[in-house]
Amino acid sequence: MLELLFLLLPIAALYGWYMGQRSAKKDQETVNNQFSRNYVTGLNFLLSNQQEKAVDLFLSMLQKQETENQIATESQFEAELTLGNLFRSRGEVDRALRIHQGLENSPHYSFEQKLLAKQQLAKDFMMAGFYDRAENYYITLLDEPEFAVNSLMKLTDIYQKTKEWKKAINVAEKLLRIAPETDKTPLSHYYCEYAKSLPNDEKQYVYSLNQALSYSPNCARASILLGDFYLQKQQYSSALGYFEQVLHQDADYLSEILDKIKACYVALNDLNGFELFLVKANQVKHNSSVDLALVEFIEQKDGIEAAQSRLYQQIRQSPSLITFHRFIAYQADEAEEGRGKESLILLHKMVGDRIQNGFHYRCFHCGYQSYRLAWHCPSCRHWESIKPMQSIDEIR
Ligand SMILES: [Zn+2]
């Protein structure tokens, strides 16, 4: 029933236009009677599920009227445009395309009306997945001030989908020039993606990542990639400088690089510096991975007892599954042989399995969960919205 009602929407739009025409042109009785008969026939086609025939009939009605009037009216144009949009909104892109192409090719419509038709055609092609066709239409519309911002936004969508990062950068930078309030986060990730596509061009790689940081100083991804770059070159101080930026850019991502930060401090023979960093990190924002790294560090430095005491304190303050897992391991190690120890070992395994098998990342925007970190959410298409769960203390 709902489907039937939806089918009637285009007819309602068409009929509204028809009624307006009729009141304005009472002297066209004969034409209108013919129109009325065709309208009923079209409706019958729809009711008997012959949608293709109905669309053909309605289109021919509109085009016939257009020819008879010689000059197409504004309302007729709008009726056809709306009809096409309605078909697209219900996924019938081929019909939407036919209607909008008819408008674009009609000799009766103005330049401005054809621009509107082109914009709808671009949307039709986007929906059909013909990105190159959509791209051509949006490029055509770039010179029109009224359409420029929307076209640039749509072009960035297209280049994101086709992973043409250089083009995405060019378009996003143009967009920023005419709409400076645009969010710069996507542009910083286009630069990161572009850098990753040129792993052998070191100069361009570093330049692109610095561009990402200049557009979005909080782009943790660019800092991590630059840190990785210098770590690989064994330039530990530089690497550390970039890795530690993440603490103030977005501390949630620290869990991704704690091992690398430790490796830098070890290489620089500065373990006290590492401890200091961990303490500072937890003051900025609590993170269970930092808790665990700190406990491990204290165990190596001051022994198991000190580490256990620290861990117990952490669990009381901010309980999380991963610190609890470590706590049970300590308890199992200390327990005397017997049923108690066996139970603790079993519990340790169960909690470990839960951590291992659970999702480790979650999009705070749409709730999408994954096992791997992705900078672009495949579900809601937001950049930087997927975070490690242990950082946001969701594994509890
Ligand atoms: Zn999402």
Side-chain angles (χ1 to χ4, degrees), residues 363-368 377-382 385-386:
C363 173
F364 65 80
H365 190 264
C366 72
Y368 172 84
C377 177
S379 174
C380 69
R381 308 268 164 203
H382 273 77
S385 59
I386 294 181

Side-chain angles (χ1 to χ4, degrees), residues 150-176:
N150 178 265
S151 299
L152 287 167
M153 286 165 75
K154 298 295 180 190
L155 282 169
T156 57
D157 285 350
I158 290 174
Y159 298 138
Q160 261 182 214
K161 285 187 201 310
T162 56
K163 300 189 187 302
E164 295 174 271
W165 303 113
K166 188 66 187 165
K167 285 185 179 178
I169 288 168
N170 291 340
V171 167
E173 285 180 340
K174 268 185 202 161
L175 179 62
L176 262 184

Side-chain angles (χ1 to χ4, degrees), residues 66 72-73 76-77 80 102-103 106-111 113-114:
E66 182 183 302
T73 63
Q76 181 172 337
F77 175 82
E80 288 190 60
L103 292 176
S106 168
H108 303 296
Y109 294 121
S110 67
F111 178 74
Q113 285 173 317
K114 289 191 178 188

Side-chain angles (χ1 to χ4, degrees), residues 121-140 154-155 157-159 161-162 164 167:
L121 276 167
K123 284 186 183 176
D124 297 339
F125 280 121
M126 275 290 272
M127 194 168 190
F130 293 111
Y131 300 128
D132 51 341
R133 303 288 297 273
E135 178 191 7
N136 288 340
Y137 275 109
Y138 283 126
I139 287 174
T140 312
K154 298 295 180 190
L155 282 169
D157 285 350
I158 290 174
Y159 298 138
K161 285 187 201 310
T162 56
E164 295 174 271
K167 285 185 179 178

